Amino acid sequence: MKSSGFRTAVTLVGVAAASLLLSAFPGGRQAKPSDSGPGRLLPSIEAWKTAEPTRTFLPDTLYEYIDGAAESYLSYDFKQLAVGQFKKDVGEGTLTLEIYDMGAAVNAFGIFSAERYPENKAVQMGDAGYLEGETLNFVAGRYYVKLLSFGLGDQAAGALDEFGRKVAAAVPEHAGLPPVLSLFPKNDRVGQSERYIKKNFMGYEFLHDGYTASYKFDGQDVEGFYIEGGSEKDAEAMLDKLLSALAADKQVPEKIALGYHVRNRYGQHLYVGRVGSILCGVSRVPGGAEGKGEELLKELTASLSKPSASKT
């Protein structure tokens, strides 16, 4: 990821330009943007000053900032990015703040979850967050926020926390995490493994709005999933297309009590069923664990049948 630090002017022209920039930000603090974009969430923090003007990126220019990763963000309907660069009044410490407006809370969680790993240290920030070294990432409403500190040493955690809480408090609406996530059974579930995949779920273009969570069976990872249809008819069509695609690939579905079972050419097992407008299932079940795979499908199905079960 491209990231620029505080630039010190080294020529008379540079000094003059820097003076003009600072005059636009009284006291070296971040001026409040007048538009409604994510730049309005950039905070003013005592003992910190802006190192350069806020930069903004739209879908057609995002690659200029995160070339190579832009497509992942665009697949979650990215809208706009605001990047702020900050420098401590005293010392050499700097901090980069990136605020991605993803248009909807579920999209923000999707890209956040795609970059999070179970081993990351979870923190209470916004709707969900994690720390990794001198980096703090979190989701708040429709925004995905990334903070990267440099040269702060043992002050990094405090600075990240202060900036993060300021931004989270400025977000007008916190939708919370997608309700579907609460339907995943807790037994054997791997912490922080939940994900939202908006498009091309399981590699099929006709499968959309999928949620996954990892489970450990005898030390091996399997994946439980829910796929939201727009209606029962939509969900039924997705299931029919999936079964047809599997059969065309010589993975013949077998009818079982709660849906279908398929064994692939690698000896792994897939279980899938439908409850109303939602598909549910278990994938990557290793040979010998078929009973546990079917039991997890039963638990996933039971969660959908509860009166409190709701969609995003």
Side-chain angles (χ1 to χ4, degrees):
M1 178 176 295
K2 301 177 182 176
S3 179
S4 58
F6 179 66
R7 297 188 174 94
T8 303
V10 294
T11 66
L12 291 177
V13 174
V15 170
S19 297
L20 287 173
L21 285 174
L22 288 175
S23 68
F25 299 92
R29 304 300 174 197
Q30 175 68 48
K32 295 294 183 183
S34 58
D35 60 36
S36 59
R40 75 189 191 281
L41 302 177
L42 293 171
S44 176
I45 304 287
E46 187 176 356
W48 288 83
K49 60 187 177 185
T50 55
E52 62 178 48
T54 301
R55 290 179 289 164
T56 59
F57 300 87
L58 298 173
D60 60 347
T61 59
L62 183 61
Y63 73 93
E64 297 175 6
Y65 188 70
I66 53 171
D67 189 21
E71 286 302 320
S72 293
Y73 285 74
L74 294 174
S75 72
Y76 285 99
D77 293 347
F78 161 82
K79 303 301 182 186
Q80 187 175 355
L81 164 66
V83 181
Q85 301 283 358
F86 298 86
K87 184 185 185 305
K88 284 189 69 70
D89 285 342
V90 178
E92 298 298 322
T94 63
L95 187 143
T96 300
L97 171 56
E98 303 167 358
I99 305 178
Y100 297 81
D101 182 351
M102 302 303 297
V106 68
N107 296 336
F109 174 76
I111 189 63
F112 163 82
S113 65
E115 297 189 344
R116 177 183 64 171
Y117 292 93
E119 59 267 25
N120 291 140
K121 180 182 178 181
V123 294
Q124 292 186 336
M125 186 70 66
D127 297 320
Y130 67 88
L131 277 169
E132 183 178 13
E134 291 187 298
T135 299
L136 167 64
N137 294 348
F138 67 93
V139 60
R142 71 174 195 257
Y143 300 99
Y144 178 33
V145 182
K146 305 179 76 170
L147 288 144
L148 305 87
S149 64
F150 305 90
L152 293 177
D154 57 8
Q155 298 179 21
L160 292 171
D161 184 79
E162 184 175 14
F163 270 87
R165 294 195 183 284
K166 278 269 191 176
V167 175
V171 173
E173 295 181 2
H174 287 248
L177 298 180
V180 173
L181 299 180
S182 67
L183 301 179
F184 283 107
K186 295 181 179 180
N187 289 340
D188 301 314
R189 190 173 73 195
V190 177
Q192 298 195 110
S193 66
E194 300 85 1
R195 291 188 61 189
Y196 167 64
I197 301 170
K198 190 175 185 69
K199 303 172 183 177
N200 298 316
F201 187 76
M202 292 173 60
Y204 295 106
E205 57 85 21
F206 54 81
L207 295 182
H208 56 81
D209 297 297
Y211 297 81
T212 68
S214 294
Y215 291 80
K216 277 200 177 293
F217 291 164
D218 299 326
Q220 299 188 68
D221 289 328
V222 303
E223 199 167 72
F225 63 84
Y226 290 115
I227 305 174
E228 288 190 314
S231 63
E232 287 196 29
K233 184 177 180 180
D234 182 31
E236 185 175 5
M238 284 196 289
L239 179 57
D240 288 343
K241 289 179 180 179
L242 175 60
L243 297 176
S244 296
L246 291 169
D249 194 34
K250 299 182 179 179
Q251 302 177 61
V252 181
E254 168 199 5
K255 189 73 175 72
I256 59 175
L258 294 175
Y260 296 88
H261 162 247
V262 180
R263 181 181 184 276
N264 67 22
R265 63 178 60 89
Y266 305 107
Q268 292 182 325
H269 301 263
L270 167 69
Y271 296 87
V272 60
R274 180 177 70 86
V275 177
S277 62
I278 300 180
L279 305 185
C280 59
V282 189
S283 63
R284 295 168 29 205
V285 178
E290 293 93 325
K292 291 185 176 180
E294 197 161 352
E295 179 61 28
L296 180 54
L297 175 63
K298 182 178 179 180
E299 293 180 33
L300 292 165
T301 301
S303 288
L304 288 174
S305 302
K306 294 177 181 177
S308 59
S310 61
K311 296 171 59 179
T312 52

